[in-house]
Amino acid sequence: MDGDVSWYRATAEETFSLLESSKEGLSKDEASFRLSKHGYNEVETKRKHGPVYLFLKQFANPLIYVLIAAAIITFILEEYADSAVITGVVIANAIIGFIQERKAEHALESLAKMMQPEAIVLREGLRKQIPSRELVVGDVVLLEAGSRIPADLRLFQTKNLRIDESALTGESVAAEKNTIPIPGEDVALGDQKNMAFSATLITQGVGMGIVVSTGTRTEIGKISELIRESETISTPLTRTVNRLGKRLFIVIIFISILTYIVGSLQGFDDLEIFLATVSMAVAAIPEGLPALITISLAIGVKAMASKNAIIRNLPSVETLGSATVICSDKTGTLTMNQMTVTSVYTLEGLFDVTGDGYSTKGEFFQDKMRVNAQDYQSLLDTLKAGSLCNDAYIKEEGGINGDPTEGALLVSAMKVTGFHLPRLDSLPFESEKRFMATLHEEDSSSNIVYVKGSPEKIINMCNSQYDGQKNTGLEAGKILEGASTMASSGLRVIAMAYKHVDKYKKELSVEDINELTFLGLQGMMDPPRDEVREAIKKCNTAGIRVIMITGDHVLTANSIAGQLGITTKGALSGSDLDSMSDEHLLENLKHVSVFARTSPEDKSRIVRLLQERGEVVAVTGDGINDAPALKRADIGIAMGRSGTEVAKEASDMVLADDNFASIVNAIEEGRDVYDKIQKVILWTLPTNAAEGLAIMAAVLLGITNPPLLPIHILWINTVTAIGLGVPIVFEPKEVNLLKRHPRSADEPLLLSIIKRRIVTVALLMVTASFLLFFFEMDGQDMNISKAQTIVLNTIVLFEIFYLFNSKSIYENVLGRLFSNKIMLGGVALVILLQLFITYSSLMNDVLRTAPLEIADWMIIVLVSSTVFFVIEAEKLVNRRIQKKRMI
């Protein structure tokens, strides 16, 4: 019986028959039995792994494997300095990654908390308040306004019961509940009017229901299972870096083996050639690369946080930069989640109402001309009826207390003035009646009844209409046509009417609600955020498609999409999706960008199919129903203010200001991060390749005294990685990032231009270094230490000049050589360190260096600067070729 979807088709009597064994509720023994049989499966979001696992996880990267192997080998060969530095880099990288992931793991276990309210139940004929975790199937739960539903319930008694289900269904309007059985199969959650769902909030009325599902069997519990079952999708960056690491691993191992074989054939001693091979591997390995990528991501995290986008795990920083689709929830994300009257229809015309949400500031327009509402009596009376026939009120701190629909009517009236008449009696809204009525004192001769409800119901109870001056005969067809026009625009339409009664009438009954005079219609909606329109326009420019997925009605969703500028060919509902195969839905996804009346499963399915099509998908949402899709997405984006904790914990990024427009800023930052990572690679790999190639060339040429010692390579890698590599990630943002289309998720980090740059720079550096080495060795003093010192400084100066080339992959950098002050500081630091190891007698002994003369430095600078001019000339040629292709 637990979890049986047929509950919404059962009659109240059939449901209540569950209690026949105990007429007034479960006995203590029966409850205990059911608790053991159908025990509350409390939803838990326990951490799957402890801190040790998280730390070890940071080493699961092919590039790190290479570094670990190099550290072990150098240690075995008693090259302790090399081993220590490489190990330090690996551990530092792991610590940074661990800290970031540990922060994410500290998320609150909110889903469990949301499912643990207190519940008032009937047991052994007595009202008892128990923790919701002790509820069992068959318990009778008493419901009242302000409380949270503790389990899934089949309602068998309701009175004016309304429940806010927006976190579960996405509907901004509180759902009206009843006990009527619902025919058919696969009824959407939003249409199950005789069910109350766990974790939703009662906004109005009272009722009673029987527990039919608890724990993971509830609708929210099913969502938690979807979250658990959703795969953790790797980001484009992690996939690309992993591919790069594997390729580097293969290349370095191959070259190392080749070097060893060639050295052996050249007659080198086994230990000597083995040390040379290890030195070459250490030189070629870009051990600073993982740390530099991590630093780039960390800086991106900080930049995004300053723009209200809080990142929960590092790789997600870059993922937004490659996003091709944003699947957005409607309520509270694209819209304000505040019902607002936007249109009023009376016999004096149609009026448009301005103003956002629950702000009482707004104006009235007719035919696009601003009007004074005080000049239109039918408008004033319509607003007055909505304000007085109303149980909501505005809170002192702002916002509305009460039903969102009534809040909207109250606010629309306050845009003109406050209406006050003492209330004598009222008939609360009930779904069966479809109207609410209130009785007020009016003047010394009469009282007045105001009625609001569905247009069809109100018109059936009217026999006249007010045109602003007098009552006339009712034109029902004209009024219904006006209501239909408003509804087709996605508005929720409420009709207003009134009736004068005797001064001595103090109570209302249903029989009094007849022979009414029609006043007007008020159309309301959850309006789109103003800033979202511009944000979607920017997304379109950036080549990013926006898709709306909501639990709201199709008409409403389509209307909002049109106002926001979301391009779509029609809209599909959840029932449409149920009847479609994956292939059929994939075809529709090419041109349909609005999906309404959807379930959490529908949203996850859409995200999955988009990913299978090769899209990089970002998903926004704030409700519990969004959590599975948020977790499945390449990057899940939750709302910080209105979002449930469940949504936040399933996400990769949280918008602190709930502003969809902040996503655009985050996308720009994400693209900038990827740019910087590519620049890091652009600078790192050619310089590392040159160092490795220098040792390999020495082996191939049979040089017994190599131009670089292993300690020299270690020094170069350590000093330049910190002094030159780190400053790249502080390079100012390039212009027009949002005018580029998203990069392909499969685009390699090693672009063809970077591969060409690796070959060009490496050959240039090695050739120049060897020429200077041989030139010095042919001198009279035959000072090997001085020759090696010249090569060491030449390579470092090469790296400095090439660093300025790397400020941009494609563009000329002459106009912005000094734009990065941190880079200038890093260059100055490296130069000072080079002077220190060249002229310090202590460092001469440690590093086997020797002092140089002024003439040596002049030659070094002249030779090493050639790389700057060669690369800038290459960029110029490439740009001209590109322009010719475009022509």
Side-chain angles (χ1 to χ4, degrees), residues 646-873:
V646 181
K648 293 175 191 175
E649 290 177 30
S651 68
D652 302 293
M653 185 175 93
V654 178
L655 296 183
D657 59 353
D658 281 18
N659 192 339
F660 183 91
S662 295
I663 297 174
V664 178
N665 296 328
I667 288 171
E668 187 175 24
E669 293 297 336
R671 292 186 176 186
D672 182 50
V673 166
Y674 191 77
D675 256 17
K676 287 172 180 174
I677 289 172
Q678 282 198 315
K679 289 173 186 176
V680 166
I681 292 169
L682 180 74
W683 176 80
T684 303
L685 294 189
T687 53
N688 279 92
E691 294 166 23
L693 187 59
I695 294 177
M696 184 179 179
V699 172
L700 293 176
L701 295 173
I703 302 173
T704 55
N705 290 316
L708 283 176
L709 297 173
I711 194 71
H712 294 157
I713 293 170
L714 183 64
W715 170 263
I716 293 171
N717 286 358
T718 303
V719 170
T720 58
I722 297 171
L724 305 182
V726 172
I728 298 178
V729 303
F730 293 95
E731 186 65 20
K733 202 180 300 176
E734 293 200 31
V735 297
N736 298 327
L737 282 172
L738 286 179
K739 292 185 178 179
R740 304 178 189 172
H741 276 250
R743 67 179 181 85
S744 168
D746 297 323
E747 178 185 283
L749 274 172
L750 283 179
L751 299 171
S752 58
I753 191 170
I754 295 179
K755 292 177 182 177
R756 292 197 303 271
R757 204 70 58 82
I758 290 173
V759 174
T760 303
V761 173
L763 288 176
L764 188 60
M765 287 176 70
V766 171
T767 302
S769 299
F770 267 74
L771 287 174
L772 291 181
F773 179 75
F774 288 130
F775 177 79
E776 181 64 29
M777 290 294 287
D778 284 342
Q780 295 178 355
D781 56 3
M782 291 293 289
N783 188 341
I784 182 65
S785 293
K786 182 180 179 183
Q788 290 173 335
T789 304
I790 288 174
V791 172
L792 188 155
N793 281 297
T794 299
I795 287 181
V796 171
L797 265 291
F798 254 107
E799 294 192 14
I800 288 174
F801 281 108
Y802 180 57
L803 178 67
F804 288 100
N805 292 124
S806 301
K807 289 169 73 70
S808 177
I809 299 176
Y810 305 100
E811 300 300 321
N812 182 283
V813 298
L814 291 174
R816 46 179 169 153
L817 286 176
F818 308 109
S819 63
N820 186 346
K821 293 181 180 178
I822 294 177
M823 182 178 288
L824 296 176
V827 168
L829 174 64
V830 170
I831 291 173
L832 288 174
L833 288 172
Q834 289 306 117
L835 293 173
F836 174 64
I837 66 169
T838 302
Y839 295 105
S840 166
S841 58
L842 174 64
M843 297 308 293
N844 289 158
D845 293 337
V846 173
L847 295 180
R848 302 179 197 174
T849 55
L852 301 179
E853 299 173 3
I854 295 295
D856 297 324
W857 283 110
M858 292 177 64
I859 294 172
I860 289 171
V861 171
L862 183 66
V863 170
S864 58
S865 63
T866 56
V867 70
F868 179 82
F869 300 106
V870 168
I871 298 304
E872 289 304 303

